[in-house]
């Protein structure tokens, strides 16, 4: 079985073809509709998903009860709440579909079984986690070192689907700006496309 989303996510040079085939077979195809919840705050995550097509987001509720977007998941990315699934604790985040989503699901028990059976899956996991940690650190630093306009342009370049489908309020909270500021940034970029 070959699938672009699975091939992309499990792109690791040491996998043998038979190992990949076994990993791929362990996934189940599932569909979600726009607005569907993949994970609710307070629930413990028991699976992760490879997003074949669509857009989803994770968010937390701040101390005032406002939704703050923590991440956007686009095509060929893994939808996961790492703390909840691996620490076996209730999630502080919610994960919701912004559009209809086609996914491949791997449940926690199956992953654990394969993780202990296939050494290369453990190596892939370490590699994936290192990259996620790097990306998380990079985003944390950029929130303080880059202008809101530059952060918006980076998001546009890296995940244009977010700008296309996510509501302004969700994008603004992810970038750490107000809706009004983001509207102004968008207008300025349209009026002066060369000014970055």
């Amino acid at each position: 079985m070959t699938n672009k989303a699975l091939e992309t996510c499990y792109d690791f040079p040491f996998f043998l073809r038979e190992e990949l085939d076994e990993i791929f077979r362990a996934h189940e195809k599932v569909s979600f509709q726009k607005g569907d919840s993949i994970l609710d705050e307070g629930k413990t995550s028991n699976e992760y998903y490879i997003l074949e097509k669509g857009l989803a987001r994770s968010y937390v509720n701040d101390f005032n009860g406002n939704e703050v977007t923590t991440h956007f998941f686009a095509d060929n990315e893994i939808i996961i709440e790492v703390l909840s699934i691996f620490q076996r604790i209730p999630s502080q985040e919610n994960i919701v579909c912004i559009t209809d989503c086609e996914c491949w699901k791997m449940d926690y028990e199956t992953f654990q079984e394969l993780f202990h059976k296939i050494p290369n899956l453990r190596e892939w996991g370490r590699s994936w986690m290192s990259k996620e940690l790097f990306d998380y650190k990079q985003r944390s630093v950029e929130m303080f070192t880059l202008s809101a306009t530059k952060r918006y342009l980076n998001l546009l370049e890296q995940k244009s689907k977010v700008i296309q489908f996510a509501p302004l309020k969700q994008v603004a909270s992810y970038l750490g700006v107000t809706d009004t500021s983001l509207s102004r940034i968008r207008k300025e970029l349209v009026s002066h496309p060369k000014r970055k």
Side-chain angles (χ1 to χ4, degrees):
M1 174 176 113
T2 57
N3 172 279
K4 188 188 172 205
L6 295 175
E7 294 276 3
T8 302
C9 283
Y10 294 106
D11 181 20
F12 185 65
F14 304 113
F15 274 132
L16 303 174
R17 188 69 244 176
E18 56 267 28
E19 291 173 336
L20 276 178
D21 288 342
E22 185 171 6
I23 292 164
F24 290 0
R25 280 195 303 273
H27 290 75
E28 175 192 349
K29 185 76 181 276
V30 291
S31 300
F32 296 97
Q33 293 188 321
K34 178 181 177 179
D36 281 355
S37 176
I38 293 176
L39 180 65
D40 294 318
E41 178 184 356
K43 300 274 179 69
T44 300
S45 176
N46 287 310
E47 57 271 316
Y48 67 86
Y49 301 84
I50 306 238
L51 182 57
E52 184 175 324
K53 189 170 68 173
L55 185 68
R57 75 170 180 128
S58 56
Y59 70 91
V60 294
N61 294 294
D62 71 10
F63 53 88
N64 289 318
N66 301 309
E67 291 183 5
V68 179
T69 300
T70 52
H71 195 71
F72 288 105
F73 304 93
D75 296 0
N76 305 325
E77 291 186 342
I78 298 176
I79 298 176
I80 191 169
E81 208 285 73
V82 173
L83 273 180
S84 180
I85 195 168
F86 294 124
Q87 296 293 318
R88 310 309 297 144
I89 58 173
S91 175
Q92 289 185 288
E93 294 183 277
N94 300 276
I95 303 178
V96 177
C97 297
I98 295 173
T99 66
D100 291 351
C101 292
E102 298 289 326
C103 301
W104 292 92
K105 179 174 86 169
M106 167 88 82
D107 67 60
Y108 174 75
E109 288 77 17
T110 305
F111 177 77
Q112 284 296 306
E113 189 183 307
L114 292 176
F115 192 74
H116 293 295
K117 179 181 177 184
I118 303 172
N120 281 329
L121 185 60
R122 293 199 289 277
E123 292 308 311
W124 167 84
R126 285 192 191 96
S127 173
W128 180 84
M129 196 65 85
S130 297
K131 182 187 178 302
E132 289 297 300
L133 188 59
F134 173 83
D135 290 347
Y136 177 77
K137 179 68 175 176
Q138 187 84 359
R139 172 165 146 70
S140 299
V141 169
E142 286 177 356
M143 288 294 280
F144 298 101
T145 58
L146 297 182
S147 68
T149 302
K150 182 60 179 158
R151 295 199 305 273
Y152 175 79
L153 288 168
N154 283 351
L155 183 61
L156 181 61
E157 183 184 323
Q158 292 157 14
K159 293 188 184 181
S160 59
K161 211 172 198 180
V162 170
I163 309 303
Q164 194 178 348
F165 293 106
L168 180 84
K169 193 175 188 67
Q170 294 175 6
V171 179
S173 74
Y174 179 73
L175 295 173
V177 298
T178 63
D179 307 7
T180 312
S181 295
L182 183 54
S183 291
R184 190 181 68 248
I185 288 167
R186 283 177 158 179
K187 283 186 185 126
E188 284 173 1
L189 289 170
V190 169
S191 308
H192 309 284
K194 299 290 181 217
R195 190 183 297 166
K196 294 182 182 177

